[in-house]
Amino acid sequence: MADARSRILERLRRNSNTPPHHANPVSDREPEWQAKQRPLGDLGEVFVSELEKVGSKVIRVLDWKSLPEAVGPWFKEFRIGSAMTGQEPRLEPLRKHLGKSLGIDLHTYTESLEAQKEEIFSTDCGITTSRGGIADTGSVILVPTPQEPRLLSLALPVHLVVVEKENLFPHLGAFLDTGEFQRDTPSNLVLVSGASRTADIELTLTVGVHGPKVFLVALVG
Amino acid sequence: MIPNPTQFKRDVAREVHNTTQRKNLKHVTGLIRERRNAAFAAIEDGEGLREIGKAIKQESLSRLPELLEQLESNLTRKGIQVHWAETTDQANQIVLEICRRRGITQVIKGKSMVSEEMELNPFLAGHGIEAIEADLGEFIVQLAEKPPSHIIAPAIHLNKEQIAELFEEKLGEPYTVNIEEMTAMARRVLRGKFQSAGMGVTGVNFAIADTGTIALVENEGNGRMVTSVPPVHVALMGLEKVIAHIADLPPLIRLLCRSATGQSISTYFNWISYPRRPEEKDGPEEVHLVILDNGRSTIYADAELRETLDCIRCGACLNICPVYSRIGGYSYSSIYMGPIGKILTPQMAGLETAGHLTGASTLCGACVEVCPVKIPIPNLLLRLRQEANQPTAAGKEIVKGAGSKRSSGEAMVWAGWKVLHSRPAAYLALTRLAGLAGGLLPQRVGPLKQWSKFRKPPRPAKRTLHQLLKERPHS
């Protein structure tokens, strides 16, 4: 369709008018607007309160060491019998605790989606770390990696994610201001702000349509 | 779907009396309006945010060809294949060719208005390929064998009882009006489809030129499934969806989610920039982007009408429109319904077939008040009415079908009106005559027939305003 391309661009070029043309994003030129959107107070508190507003469960833990004991009770509460992680070393102590102390059936995402499809779609809970969070919307920034692939946070009915407080940003613009997305763009980045939901029938909110039905967040720090 | 004036009148006459649908729409549009208003009230400078949204869209459009090329080159560099389609036929062919090359017989879809514009599902079905809608609302209307009746909430016109009957009939599920159970049924049916489909098809909310990123907004997780599980992902976008900078995404996402559903952000906001890379374990092996024109480059040519292309498809104008909530989405016989449809469809389909839609408005202006990018919809409606009625030399049309609604009778009436209003003596004589003999005017024939069909026929006052003023005692 090379012809379609040149014809479309030719029609547009005939009528495009260059001004107003700025090298910078529009939002950069509106510093006042950026400031107005900034949530006040402690980022951790804003983040937790926004997540809880949409029904997510959040627990705050001091450090990675206290994570296993802190999230353990969730496995009983949500009747989670099996869990899957990727190959993230920071989750090893949690895996040990789940396997040894709670008797959870543990799986690891080590092969490809095609090789492990059935296993992924039949496990109860996916556990992942995250790149951080956006406080003012209560969003977790997930950047799936070969160690922690996409489906861990998507195909299993429960998703437990660990967010470090030091990686909280006040708003999305502040995360983009770091320039890391622009420098080293990942294949996929997703902001997750709660459990999967729909309101397509009579605008009645129903949780757990295609993605996880339960969204558990452990905020470390 | 091809709009047609006769059909439109018939459908409107029927749907305004469809009390179930009116009740459903009143309830739901009212709720979304409340949520939208609350979401804007919760931020300090909603008006400033709308200004920024407008500026971003206008600036992106002013550099459209350059940005599309930049987008293409950045995506191509990263292994995403970019295709261009002038027409919906070409776009359908592109999708079909990918299916054929990979031997795909089942496609799973996220919500995409462009795919509706292409009528992709029936096209693929005609070639033996099954397309399944995964968004719950789309899944429901697909079971009903209908297109969406609303841009954001496709099954908004149906209540839970109607949907329960549909599930019972089409899925063989036991009748239940428990919405959670109904949602669970859809989850069960679609889980298998995500795993078996050879291709995932989605729309595009924003395409970002500087990083080469496709951004998708959704709440259900079906968008993530469709773009993560099948081996091929095809994203379909109208060419106006490109923006220059990723840094301009935050204000646009704030506007879109608040305007569409009253959320501060959707549950999932998905940024796709590469197909699966060698070391990665999931994600599609192939990602394609189809850039569709379908009349948009013609809309683009006119500086005023170009504002139509600012639209970010939030549906807020539908929810506030007094016409939409009374006649429903299907009466328009157009993929794009409500206020935005009334300016978009006539420009895409041509004024000769869809010009009547520009008249389906009270020009109340409520849509402008809520539009996140401040599209002056009533002004554009008036402009399109003018285009439809003014004499236009062949080949010089700004809008397809310009001049097609021009009637010589109406033109003569207005020529006479001009004469009367520029000659005081003639004006006075006629208004007096109307006062004396106006009551004798036949009400049920000629031009008054249409007018008096639903209204009280006008009766000119016996004495004109001029006369009354003249007789008023001077103070």
Side-chain angles (χ1 to χ4, degrees):
Chain A
M1 299 288 169
D3 284 352
R5 177 188 187 278
S6 52
R7 278 196 297 269
I8 292 169
L9 285 172
E10 167 53 27
R11 276 198 296 276
L12 295 175
R13 268 193 215 104
R14 223 180 300 145
N15 298 301
S16 78
N17 36 3
T18 37
H21 185 163
H22 300 274
N24 297 331
V26 172
S27 45
D28 272 10
R29 303 196 301 268
E30 303 285 343
E32 281 177 25
W33 177 81
Q34 289 283 7
K36 272 183 193 165
Q37 311 303 318
R38 213 171 290 259
L40 302 170
D42 178 70
L43 291 186
E45 276 171 30
V46 179
F47 179 67
V48 172
S49 118
E50 289 300 317
L51 272 166
E52 285 176 343
K53 266 189 211 166
V54 294
S56 308
K57 295 274 181 185
V58 191
I59 198 163
R60 297 193 71 163
V61 290
L62 267 180
D63 48 30
W64 282 90
K65 231 167 57 195
S66 24
L67 181 73
E69 291 287 342
V71 301
W74 272 341
F75 287 76
K76 203 168 181 187
E77 184 183 346
F78 295 101
R79 292 183 195 151
I80 299 166
S82 57
M84 181 180 256
T85 64
Q87 293 162 302
E88 166 57 56
R90 286 177 298 174
L91 293 177
E92 267 316 305
L94 174 60
R95 280 180 64 101
K96 275 200 189 110
H97 177 71
L98 294 178
K100 286 198 179 134
S101 310
L102 302 177
I104 303 287
D105 173 22
L106 286 176
H107 300 257
T108 318
Y109 198 161
T110 50
E111 310 296 321
S112 66
L113 155 68
E114 291 73 20
Q116 287 187 275
K117 206 184 250 184
E118 217 169 287
E119 188 183 355
I120 296 166
F121 276 86
S122 58
T123 305
D124 295 340
C125 172
I127 309 173
T128 69
T129 62
S130 68
R131 169 61 191 90
I134 309 292
D136 76 339
T137 50
S139 310
V140 175
I141 309 169
L142 292 178
V143 180
T145 59
Q147 287 70 44
E148 293 193 303
R150 300 183 194 199
L151 261 68
L152 278 179
S153 59
L154 173 64
L156 301 85
V158 182
H159 178 208
L160 165 57
V161 62
V162 187
V163 180
E164 291 173 300
K165 185 167 182 266
E166 61 182 37
N167 289 330
L168 289 184
F169 298 89
H171 51 80
L172 181 55
F175 168 65
L176 287 171
D177 283 348
T178 64
E180 67 173 70
F181 181 85
Q182 294 87 327
R183 274 194 308 277
D184 187 17
T185 309
S187 301
N188 182 229
L189 178 148
V190 60
L191 300 179
V192 180
S193 312
S196 151
R197 65 197 50 228
T198 182
D200 275 348
I201 303 178
E202 291 192 357
L203 223 64
T204 304
L205 181 70
T206 314
V207 172
V209 53
H210 297 304
K213 300 174 180 183
V214 178
F215 189 51
L216 308 171
V217 182
L219 181 60
V220 176
Chain B
M1 271 202 298
I2 301 162
N4 165 317
T6 320
Q7 174 82 27
F8 179 67
K9 275 186 190 163
R10 243 195 335 256
D11 289 349
V12 168
R14 188 187 60 242
E15 294 307 315
V16 288
H17 297 296
N18 181 345
T19 45
T20 310
Q21 176 174 282
R22 280 184 66 160
K23 203 173 130 204
N24 298 347
L25 287 175
K26 190 180 172 192
H27 168 67
V28 175
T29 55
L31 261 178
I32 313 185
R33 281 205 308 273
E34 273 172 32
R35 290 180 192 173
R36 182 254 167 217
N37 292 344
F40 271 87
I43 51 175
E44 284 201 29
D45 188 15
E47 190 52 30
L49 187 56
R50 295 206 302 150
E51 292 285 350
I52 290 171
K54 178 84 187 173
I56 293 169
K57 285 299 295 186
Q58 285 282 293
E59 190 169 315
S60 303
L61 288 175
S62 74
R63 302 166 58 194
L64 188 56
E66 172 203 332
L67 294 182
L68 285 169
E69 282 181 298
Q70 188 190 359
L71 175 73
E72 179 188 40
S73 107
N74 278 334
L75 289 176
T76 309
R77 181 171 52 78
K78 297 191 294 181
I80 293 181
Q81 300 172 52
V82 178
H83 310 260
W84 301 71
E86 285 188 283
T87 61
T88 53
D89 284 347
Q90 285 177 8
N92 282 326
Q93 281 299 334
I94 292 166
V95 179
L96 180 62
E97 273 164 34
I98 302 169
C99 286
R100 284 200 170 140
R101 182 168 51 74
R102 306 242 349 176
I104 292 165
T105 54
Q106 197 183 56
V107 170
I108 185 109
K109 290 177 66 203
K111 198 168 161 22
S112 157
M113 289 309 289
V114 167
S115 79
E116 300 292 341
E117 196 179 316
M118 290 158 58
E119 301 188 43
L120 178 65
N121 297 4
F123 172 83
L124 289 178
H127 291 86
I129 298 166
E130 183 192 19
I132 305 145
E133 296 288 348
D135 171 88
L136 180 61
E138 292 279 355
F139 177 73
I140 293 167
V141 292
Q142 187 178 33
L143 288 180
E145 296 172 29
K146 290 272 202 174
S149 80
H150 186 287
I151 291 175
I152 296 295
I156 197 181
H157 60 294
L158 298 173
N159 58 35
K160 60 181 182 220
E161 288 80 12
Q162 292 169 309
I163 296 167
E165 281 168 22
L166 204 56
F167 278 17
E168 186 182 22
E169 185 196 329
K170 298 285 170 90
L171 299 177
E173 295 281 350
Y175 181 91
T176 171
V177 290
N178 180 317
I179 294 175
E180 261 180 46
E181 283 175 29
M182 285 196 265
T183 305
M185 286 172 192
R187 180 181 173 106
R188 232 174 12 243
V189 171
L190 289 166
R191 283 241 132 186
K193 307 284 186 191
F194 289 124
Q195 296 176 61
S196 59
M199 176 190 282
V201 172
T202 65
V204 173
N205 289 99
F206 303 103
I208 298 101
D210 69 348
T211 55
T213 300
I214 296 165
L216 275 175
V217 175
E218 53 131 356
N219 282 313
E220 297 186 0
N222 66 316
R224 281 195 78 198
M225 284 285 197
V226 165
T227 59
S228 299
V229 183
V232 180
H233 169 211
V234 177
L236 308 168
M237 75 170 222
L239 53 73
E240 77 281 17
K241 288 292 175 83
V242 64
I243 61 165
H245 308 280
I246 191 95
D248 278 337
L249 208 47
L252 289 175
I253 184 72
R254 274 165 194 271
L255 281 167
L256 176 59
C257 298
R258 282 184 166 77
S259 303
T261 55
Q263 291 171 290
S264 59
I265 195 165
S266 59
T267 305
Y268 301 107
F269 189 20
N270 200 2
W271 302 0
I272 296 156
S273 305
Y274 285 86
R276 182 192 304 196
R277 285 192 264 189
E279 68 279 14
E280 289 172 344
K281 300 192 175 71
D282 53 20
E285 297 151 12
E286 282 182 32
V287 178
H288 300 260
L289 175 70
V290 180
I291 301 174
L292 175 67
D293 182 341
N294 194 29
R296 289 167 172 85
S297 57
T298 312
I299 299 175
Y300 184 75
D302 183 271
E304 185 183 18
L305 295 172
R306 182 184 293 182
E307 290 193 69
T308 314
L309 302 178
D310 288 344
C311 177
I312 57 172
R313 305 279 189 273
C314 69
C317 61
L318 275 61
N319 302 327
I320 201 149
C321 179
V323 178
Y324 174 85
S325 65
R326 283 162 181 83
I327 67 172
Y330 293 144
S331 299
Y332 299 88
S333 291
S334 151
I335 291 304
Y336 300 103
M337 60 298 283
I340 185 63
K342 281 181 267 192
I343 58 172
L344 188 53
T345 305
Q347 297 185 74
M348 280 179 167
L351 291 162
E352 67 276 33
T353 49
H356 61 281
L357 293 177
T358 63
S361 169
T362 61
L363 299 177
C364 72
C367 45
V368 192
E369 300 293 317
V370 295
C371 177
V373 287
K374 299 186 142 189
I375 301 173
I377 294 175
N379 295 357
L380 298 183
L381 285 170
L382 290 174
R383 168 73 193 280
L384 290 172
R385 290 181 193 179
Q386 276 171 21
E387 290 292 335
N389 284 288
Q390 71 191 10
T392 308
K396 297 269 181 203
E397 299 97 346
I398 293 171
V399 183
K400 194 176 154 202
S404 59
K405 301 280 169 205
R406 186 170 176 81
S407 97
S408 47
E410 192 179 344
M412 269 169 61
V413 169
W414 286 111
W417 187 91
K418 191 176 164 190
V419 168
L420 275 176
H421 286 74
S422 52
R423 288 177 178 73
Y427 180 81
L428 280 175
L430 192 89
T431 47
R432 286 205 183 173
L433 182 69
L436 291 172
L440 306 174
L441 278 175
Q443 304 291 349
R444 303 285 168 205
V445 290
L448 279 178
K449 189 182 166 193
Q450 272 301 323
W451 174 263
S452 55
K453 206 167 165 188
F454 299 106
R455 305 173 183 88
K456 220 173 145 190
R459 301 233 175 248
K462 288 230 160 20
R463 302 162 74 75
T464 69
L465 181 65
H466 276 105
Q467 284 175 307
L468 294 174
L469 282 173
K470 227 180 231 173
E471 290 162 11
R472 204 169 62 152
H474 292 278
S475 58

